[in-house]
């Protein structure tokens, strides 16, 4: 049952559909750029991108949290890139992690709502990511027929 997600040996013998592999690379690249923005932006992207008021008391903590989040996103993006270039058999596992991570972000947003000046791009992106990652997860797990492997 777990073999497609956690193979005994991680390698580059990816057998899922090619579209899932290439979308995975695209999502890793987008994640890399997004993480650098959060990590390097003077406000961590909290005000300039998400539309949060960081001039309030505790604003420095908000900026710190967004920058810290960027550092975690950067590590995750590097792992995704390593998997794409060296351990493609782990792509389904990372798609599953992306799905759960997106669900958890949405849950946290519901549990701890925050007032924004506008809808942050990530809030919109979550509703795109969830179905996209679900479909790509399924396609990454499907084994191609001999004819489709060519």
């Amino acid at each position: 049952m777990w073999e497609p997600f956690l193979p005994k040996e991680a390698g580059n013998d990816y057998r899922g559909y090619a579209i899932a592999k290439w979308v995975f690379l695209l999502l890793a690249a987008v994640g890399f750029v997004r993480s650098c923005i959060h990590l390097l932006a003077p406000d961590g992207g909290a005000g300039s991108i998400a539309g949060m008021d960081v001039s309030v008391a505790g604003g420095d903590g908000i900026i710190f949290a967004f920058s810290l989040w960027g550092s975690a996103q950067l590590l995750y993006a590097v792992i995704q890139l390593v998997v794409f270039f060296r351990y493609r058999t782990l792509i389904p596992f990372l798609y599953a992690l992306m799905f759960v991570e997106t669900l958890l972000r949405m849950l946290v947003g519901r549990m701890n709502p925050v007032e924004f000046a506008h809808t942050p791009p990530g809030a919109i992106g979550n509703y795109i990511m969830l179905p996209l990652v679900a479909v790509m997860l399924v396609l990454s797990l499907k084994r191609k027929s001999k004819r489709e492997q060519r």
Side-chain angles (χ1 to χ4, degrees):
M1 177 181 163
W2 294 105
E3 184 67 21
F5 291 100
L6 296 170
K8 289 181 182 175
E9 291 186 25
N12 243 3
D13 186 25
Y14 176 76
R15 293 185 182 155
Y17 282 83
I19 185 77
K21 175 179 68 173
W22 295 112
V23 168
F24 182 82
L25 178 61
L26 176 66
L27 293 175
V30 167
F32 186 87
V33 170
R34 180 184 64 191
S35 68
C36 289
I37 291 169
H38 284 295
L39 188 60
L40 301 173
D43 67 348
S48 59
I49 297 171
M52 296 180 79
D53 184 2
V54 293
S55 66
V56 299
D60 288 343
I62 295 169
I63 293 169
F64 174 77
F66 269 67
S67 299
L68 192 61
W69 185 33
S71 67
Q73 287 177 323
L74 181 61
L75 291 175
Y76 187 60
V78 167
I79 291 168
Q80 288 174 307
L81 291 170
V82 167
V83 163
F84 180 81
F85 289 107
R86 186 68 178 99
Y87 302 106
R88 290 183 183 164
T89 56
L90 296 175
I91 287 175
F93 176 66
L94 287 184
Y95 267 130
L97 286 181
M98 276 190 261
F99 186 83
V100 171
E101 192 264 342
T102 303
L103 274 178
L104 290 174
R105 270 191 285 127
M106 294 171 81
L107 178 64
V108 167
R110 299 263 181 186
M111 291 171 39
N112 302 301
V114 175
E115 193 171 314
F116 296 96
H118 60 272
T119 304
I124 297 165
N126 288 339
Y127 290 99
I128 296 168
M129 281 290 287
L130 210 55
L132 175 66
V133 168
V135 169
M136 292 301 119
L137 172 59
V138 169
L139 292 177
S140 72
L141 289 169
K142 283 192 167 221
R143 299 294 184 224
K144 297 184 293 188
S145 68
K146 294 281 185 189
R147 184 174 181 211
E148 293 166 323
Q149 288 178 0
R150 293 181 195 161

